[in-house]
Amino acid sequence: MSPRVAIAALVLAVAAGCFIDEQPFQPMPCGPGSPCPAFYRCVEGEGGAFCQAAYPPSRPDAAVSPPGPFRDYCHDAWPIFETYCVECHGPEQQLGNIHFRLDSYESDAGFLGARAMAPVIRSEVYVFRTMPPQTASSFPALAERLVVAQWVDAGAPFCAPPDGGSDGGTDGGAQDGGADGGDGGG
């Protein structure tokens, strides 16, 4: 075992031991003069205030999907991708650990397209807001980030059919490209 792995295992073992209570916690009264132990909070209940386990907040990506209108790739997501994302995830280069192109809806020529990457795009753009990276020259507004999340939540549809309904996340017959179904030229 390498020294790095041994140190990591030791740190994990110590950290795990810090959170495991050998004896179950017995509810105890609390208040201004008697605070709760670490990882507990004072909560009002029947018969007064008692210490209760303080759980961390739920993950942000577990939140309820944002409400809003139907969004599609051609009219809503593509213009945002073209403005903020294609410089690094387009025909000239594909930066990051996963090589994908946002100027292409479908996967093609060994690269994943926007449709295949939709859940990751939602997480990085809307939930964690790590994309575009801090080194970018411009950033989408919160409203634009919400549009991307709404597109993914709608099933990442390609284009709205002429009647205005959802295409159910299918590509509408196009096999490649941006808003026009071609080379991503918008």
Side-chain angles (χ1 to χ4, degrees), residues 15-43:
C18 293
F19 295 107
I20 297 173
D21 219 350
E22 290 182 15
Q23 298 176 355
F25 179 76
Q26 297 296 321
M28 55 199 263
C30 60
S34 51
C36 296
F39 305 110
Y40 292 87
R41 65 178 173 199
C42 192
V43 176

Side-chain angles (χ1 to χ4, degrees), residues 22 50 64 96 128 138 146 154:
E22 290 182 15
F50 288 91
V64 176
F128 301 113
S138 62
L146 179 61

Side-chain angles (χ1 to χ4, degrees), residues 73 78 81 85-86 89-90 100-105 113-114 117 121:
Y73 176 83
W78 165 246
F81 296 156
C85 311
V86 172
H89 301 288
F100 62 95
R101 290 179 54 175
L102 294 178
D103 65 322
S104 179
Y105 178 75
M117 294 299 294
I121 293 167

Side-chain angles (χ1 to χ4, degrees), residues 118-144:
V120 173
I121 293 167
R122 184 186 194 284
S123 292
E124 298 297 323
V125 171
Y126 179 72
V127 177
F128 301 113
R129 297 189 182 132
T130 55
M131 285 291 143
Q134 291 180 349
T135 57
S137 58
S138 62
F139 301 92
L142 183 57
E144 292 171 306

